[in-house]
Amino acid sequence: FNNPSRSQVNVGGELILGSAMEPYLEKAEAFFNNDSFWLVAPHKVFDPGVERRIVSLDDGQQALLVTYTSGGTTPGDSYLWHLDENGLPTKYQMWVKIIPVGGLEATWEDWKVFPNGVKLATNHRLLFLNLEMGNLVVIQ
């Protein structure tokens, strides 16, 4: 998405050209940003434009509040990460523009460590949904 001039848009077998491509590219980028976030969100907490704060919870635990002030598709979204004793996320609560309910929880489960050391959660539960990340391969 860094170079839209290299993109092609094909809708129903018809090649879309020029400025008519823009809404399709914007929609594709929004889908990519959302879908990839479910895979790599913990790896994005130090991206430019990200604010981080330690928050004390009612039960005495601490959590990490992450707000994306710029970049992506929905700047201003915030996530309160709940971490285990090793600092690995177990769930987050979301305050995002796309969901009208603030503080909605999604789990980060079934962590796998890949041969290059990358850790990824392969399953998320959100309300009645179970979001499996599928057969992941990390290429070095």
Side-chain angles (χ1 to χ4, degrees), residues 38 107-111 120-125 130-134:
W38 284 102
T107 65
W108 285 70
E109 304 175 328
D110 301 330
W111 286 87
L120 298 172
T122 61
N123 193 55
H124 308 290
R125 285 182 288 126
N130 190 46
L131 305 172
E132 292 184 37
M133 297 293 102

Side-chain angles (χ1 to χ4, degrees), residues 112-120 136-140:
K112 291 199 169 64
V113 180
F114 291 85
N116 62 356
V118 171
K119 294 178 182 177
L120 298 172
L136 298 176
V137 175
V138 175
I139 300 172
Q140 296 186 49

Side-chain angles (χ1 to χ4, degrees), residues 25-103:
L25 294 175
E26 288 172 9
K27 188 172 187 177
E29 183 177 15
F31 282 145
F32 173 81
N33 288 343
N34 181 68
D35 293 352
S36 65
F37 194 79
W38 284 102
L39 182 63
V40 298
H43 300 277
K44 299 183 69 55
V45 298
F46 291 104
D47 281 3
V50 176
E51 293 179 354
R52 296 164 298 282
R53 293 179 189 85
I54 301 296
V55 175
S56 295
L57 304 175
D58 291 340
D59 64 2
Q61 301 266 342
Q62 291 185 322
L64 177 64
L65 179 61
V66 177
T67 301
Y68 295 89
T69 63
S70 62
T73 305
T74 55
D77 288 355
S78 293
Y79 301 82
L80 184 64
W81 287 95
H82 298 258
L83 310 173
D84 68 13
E85 61 279 354
N86 298 313
L88 205 58
T90 58
K91 67 180 178 179
Y92 63 34
Q93 292 171 263
M94 300 178 272
W95 287 266
V96 297
K97 291 179 184 81
I98 195 169
I99 301 174
V101 177

Side-chain angles (χ1 to χ4, degrees), residues 9-23:
V9 174
N10 187 310
V11 177
E14 180 184 341
L15 187 62
I16 307 296
L17 301 171
S19 63
M21 292 174 35
E22 289 178 23

